[in-house]
Amino acid sequence: MDVIQLSSLDHHFADFISRIEGRSCDGLWMAAALASYVACRGHVCLDLASYSGVEILQFHSGGEPMQTPPAGSWKDVLSGCEAVGFPGDYTPLVLDAEGRLYLHRSWDSERRVAEDILARSAWLPGAAAALDSGLDRYFPPAGGEEDLQRAAARAAITRRFTVISGGPGTGKTTTVARVLVLLIELSEGNVPRIVLAAPTGKAAMRLKQSITDSAGRLAISEATRCVLPQEVSTIHRLLGVIPGRSAFRHDRDNPLPCDVLVVDEASMVDLPLMSRLLDALRADTRVILLGDRDQLASVEAGAVLSDICAGGSTGSATHDRPAIVHLKKSYRFSDESGIGRLSSLINAGDGEGALALLRSGLYDDVCWHPLPPAETFAESFTTAAGKGYADFARAATPLDALAALERFRVLTPHREGRHGVGNLNRLVEAALLQLQLSGSPASVLKPVMITGNAYDLGLFNGDTGVLSVTTVGDVAEAFFTDPDSGMRRISSLRLPPHETAFALTVHKTQGSEFDAVLLILPDLISEVISRELLYTAVTRARKRVEIWGDEDVFCKAVERRIERSSGLRDRLRSEGRS
């Protein structure tokens, strides 16, 4: 591990903990500083063993690095500090028996999530004959082949907590739509209150459309169809944000009026939010999480979906505690699909194999392009992006423009630098502006992504629209697709924080899909670039993905897996067996 450079936040937090302790202790100062350091990088806790014997530089010091002590002696030192407690103690830092050091709030969130999941994991009583009949109706026997969708449905109906994981096109929402129909049919008139949610507005809209489409293909009664959920909410809106406060309206004392909760894109949900969500549910509420365990984890702390999946015993069918099913068969990508094969190789960590597939030219839906040198990059990229966004440039209406954005998108790992979002957006915008103005329109269009939440407008972080800017200086208007009315028009003066969105970071595209994707990788590896990032980027494409990059950077990225320190999987394993 390289020398760790602490930030001012890390330094001040360590000073704060030292003041609470009231005595000098280098082991405590370094532990507190590193607890802050790893928390800012998405870890739930500091694993002392992983950071034993590393060198750290203080924020304001140009002197020699400090070296952390061996894990065993470090743990002994921390055990004697008053600012450090053991699980259950109300102290700023919590040290568990495995040598994991938590900020108290992170430890408490992890504990709550684990306890809630395990409490919901017991088998539920029910009429086996009626369930089997319903499963036969909506998941007919597959002639000896293991039907994981049927296994997932059985788990979701017989447990109060279920995870249905799988890559794009494996039928997660198709399965859950049938599960909801079955739950309604098996309710004997006592129709359950079903709530659908997702982390972002975009993901919520896609979930609603998927459930509607899947249910529309089922031969069900009109009475059943009428009580299927028609609305999907973001998690924050569902919990009820209180302006100016970190608390939500719904919590343990004011639970949601909900019998069944379905959460899509669960890989995007961080640990604190998952804790708040589960806290806001009654003990008898059924929870079904949908997501892809191999995607990027949440931007904030934790990798909750991945940890939950790892917390169950291995295998493809249901497990004892919690119930987990991983769907494997893709109905979108066939065995002859380059995107399907490429994503599998990336997931397997086979960088050389993935690069060979990209360079082979055997598949029409994947393409490799060496990253152009600095002096020609702008010209080469502008040409490629101009072709990709040609439909957008020719769009006559905002609705046409929004549709065009679903057909092509530029993705990149970084925000800054030559290959970052900022520069790529400037290049595309300048090129397309000339094309748009050449037609002498009354206004020009550009895509925007919302970067803050505006609950009064129903706009949330990650929502994408188009901004119509008049050529005569009039007030611009923004247009967003709406699941009910089809299109919403909002004055740009009312928009929450937003940014140009021709190019997006891969993190921002979770919950989205596009016909074609152009992925621009930088010329140097960084801590942001990983196997999970490449997999997420590639699987955003429905029909074609083109990757520009350096071969060495690509292979190193495929080999590099992001591991976030957490105790959640161990809690689910050990407590689930007790």
Side-chain angles (χ1 to χ4, degrees), residues 57-79:
L57 285 173
Q58 297 186 50
F59 173 71
H60 58 66
S61 173
E64 291 296 315
M66 305 168 62
Q67 188 171 61
T68 59
S73 60
W74 201 3
K75 184 179 176 182
D76 291 340
V77 168
L78 295 177
S79 298

Side-chain angles (χ1 to χ4, degrees), residues 358 365-369 384 408-409 411 516-520 541 544-548:
L358 280 167
D365 57 345
V366 296
C367 176
W368 172 263
H369 189 290
F408 176 79
R409 215 46 161 261
L411 310 185
V517 161
L518 172 57
L519 173 63
I520 306 294
R544 190 174 190 275
V545 61
E546 181 175 342
I547 302 176
W548 290 19

Side-chain angles (χ1 to χ4, degrees), residues 129 216 232 288 352 392 420 454 492 499:
V232 184
I288 305 172
E352 295 293 338
F392 181 88
S492 63
E499 58 189 27

Side-chain angles (χ1 to χ4, degrees), residues 96-133:
D96 71 8
E98 287 71 33
R100 292 183 289 242
L101 185 69
Y102 293 81
L103 307 181
H104 187 276
R105 183 171 59 180
S106 298
W107 174 83
D108 191 54
S109 293
E110 183 179 279
R111 174 189 65 83
R112 286 173 177 268
V113 168
E115 289 178 355
D116 190 284
I117 291 173
L118 292 173
R120 296 178 194 274
S121 295
W123 288 93
L124 295 172
L131 172 57
D132 287 340
S133 175

